[in-house]
Amino acid sequence: GAVVSQHPSWVICKSGTSVKIECRSLDFQATTMFWYRQFPKQSLMLMATSNEGSKATYEQGVEKDKFLINHASLTLSTLTVTSAHPEDSSFYICSAPARTGDSPLHFGNGTRLTVT
Amino acid sequence: GENVEQHPSTLSVQEGDSAVIKCTYSDSASNYFPWYKQELGKGPQLIIDIRSNVGEKKDQRIAVTLNKTAKHFSLHITETQPEDSAVYFCAASRGGGYQKVTFGIGTKLQVIP
């Protein structure tokens, strides 16, 4: 149980274009999802909290107009990187808390974004 | 906010030996401490977690200990196997996965056959 699916697993785009990443909870409902960014050989940095039916909450320093988050249903959150630039190249990972016990976070397999 | 420090950053052990990874946290209100294993190119996978009202928890070859007074917790892997090679992250939060989870920097474990 508590499977989180993320798509695509990798994407290459040109500078200035936008890219959408999907995160789905496959066997449970997730009113909250989290988006992380991970640079090579570094830890996970929380970017934003995605809330179903309401606006996302962004961490300090994360541009909300650049990283658009939509959580339109209880099983789907999307992250859109708008007007992507090479410095946006990174590994983006979504997660959702399970609805049992201590609600441990379950992660998707991440999306490797490369902006050329 | 919470600050989680983790060490060592890299760890090499012979197959069959034990591996220990240590973390400290700063927020005395943190009460939930998960550990994640991340393989190359994949998302982190929860391997074990512990609540602050428990001092130790074990699951087969993996155990976690918590010293709430000293604000440190450790992951112990016994009888290591090559498939244990990965990056391990400790983390802390104030209340399970719905609260902000702060991660350590990670430990790259290499198990040498």
Side-chain angles (χ1 to χ4, degrees):
Chain A
V3 176
V4 177
S5 176
Q6 192 171 338
H7 178 82
S9 56
W10 61 271
V11 59
I12 301 172
C13 71
K14 292 187 177 181
S15 188
T17 61
S18 296
V19 173
K20 180 185 284 188
I21 302 169
E22 293 187 348
C23 180
R24 295 180 185 273
S25 56
L26 294 187
D27 53 356
F28 66 106
Q29 294 181 333
T31 55
T32 300
M33 290 185 177
F34 301 93
W35 287 95
Y36 289 82
R37 184 173 180 175
Q38 187 178 33
F39 290 104
K41 299 183 180 180
Q42 293 192 23
S43 190
L44 294 88
M45 299 301 297
L46 180 64
M47 298 175 63
T49 302
S50 173
N51 303 299
E52 188 268 336
S54 65
K55 292 183 179 180
T57 306
Y58 290 82
E59 295 298 302
Q60 190 173 8
V62 177
E63 299 177 59
K64 62 180 180 180
D65 294 329
K66 180 166 188 61
F67 299 99
L68 299 180
I69 290 173
N70 184 278
H71 195 149
S73 78
L74 289 171
T75 59
L76 174 64
S77 174
T78 60
L79 169 68
T80 302
V81 183
T82 63
S83 187
H85 291 284
E87 57 265 31
D88 298 324
S89 298
S90 191
F91 193 53
Y92 293 87
I93 318 174
C94 70
S95 69
R99 304 190 77 166
T100 57
D102 289 309
S103 303
L105 285 182
H106 289 268
F107 286 84
N109 266 333
T111 297
R112 171 72 60 192
L113 170 63
T114 302
V115 184
T116 61
Chain B
E2 175 66 277
N3 181 45
V4 177
E5 295 189 356
Q6 180 174 350
H7 61 94
S9 56
T10 60
L11 178 61
S12 291
V13 299
Q14 290 292 135
E15 182 178 358
D17 288 350
S18 296
V20 180
I21 302 171
K22 298 182 179 182
C23 291
T24 61
Y25 62 98
S26 61
D27 185 357
S28 57
S30 289
N31 59 11
Y32 175 67
F33 308 92
W35 285 87
Y36 287 86
K37 175 184 180 182
Q38 186 177 28
E39 297 177 342
L40 192 62
K42 295 186 177 181
Q45 179 184 10
L46 178 72
I47 55 172
I48 195 167
D49 55 7
I50 191 169
R51 269 277 184 183
S52 60
N53 57 351
V54 175
E56 184 174 356
K57 184 176 179 181
K58 190 173 182 180
D59 183 5
Q60 299 182 341
R61 296 187 297 109
I62 294 173
V64 58
T65 59
L66 170 66
N67 184 327
K68 196 166 165 37
T69 303
K71 294 201 195 74
H72 64 72
F73 56 114
S74 301
L75 177 72
H76 304 253
I77 305 174
T78 59
E79 300 173 23
T80 53
Q81 301 167 4
E83 51 265 37
D84 294 330
S85 297
V87 178
Y88 291 81
F89 291 96
C90 62
S93 86
R94 285 189 170 191
Y98 279 99
Q99 302 299 319
K100 181 176 179 178
V101 178
T102 301
F103 288 84
I105 195 67
T107 297
K108 184 175 182 180
L109 172 65
Q110 181 183 19
V111 179
I112 304 167

